[in-house]
Amino acid sequence: EISACLVGSEMCIRDRVQEARPHLASVYEALQHAKFRPQLKEWPQITNAVGIELDNAIQNAKSVDQALADAQAAVERLLQG
């Protein structure tokens, strides 16, 4: 029971939550290595541009080198305004 834990003991609370919901252990582990997305107003356009070029490479519409160069050029254009 949580009341048996030391007040404010993060480890105890985490253990109790993981006991009740074992699937959350993988979520907790992933969050230890998570990186936040950049806070840029252009971020949606950047991810779209990179995604399009990666898709081009995957479908062999472009070489990997050309797709990466085109993605870089698109991102630079977006960041320059």
Side-chain angles (χ1 to χ4, degrees):
E1 219 176 275
I2 291 179
S3 61
C5 297
L6 293 173
V7 175
S9 172
E10 180 184 333
M11 179 65 90
C12 186
I13 292 169
R14 184 176 63 229
D15 289 346
R16 298 294 182 185
V17 169
Q18 286 181 356
E19 222 174 79
R21 306 253 188 320
H23 64 282
L24 292 179
S26 59
V27 174
Y28 177 80
E29 177 62 27
L31 289 173
Q32 300 309 302
H33 308 286
K35 303 270 191 262
F36 290 100
R37 292 181 181 175
Q39 299 297 307
L40 300 169
K41 66 180 172 133
E42 301 88 357
W43 190 247
Q45 295 92 339
I46 289 171
T47 60
N48 186 53
V50 171
I52 288 170
E53 294 304 334
L54 290 177
D55 194 49
N56 285 332
I58 290 167
Q59 294 184 29
N60 291 319
K62 294 182 180 181
S63 70
V64 171
D65 289 341
Q66 186 60 56
L68 290 174
D70 291 350
Q72 180 177 351
V75 170
E76 288 174 356
R77 279 193 304 276
L78 286 165
L79 292 176
Q80 290 173 358

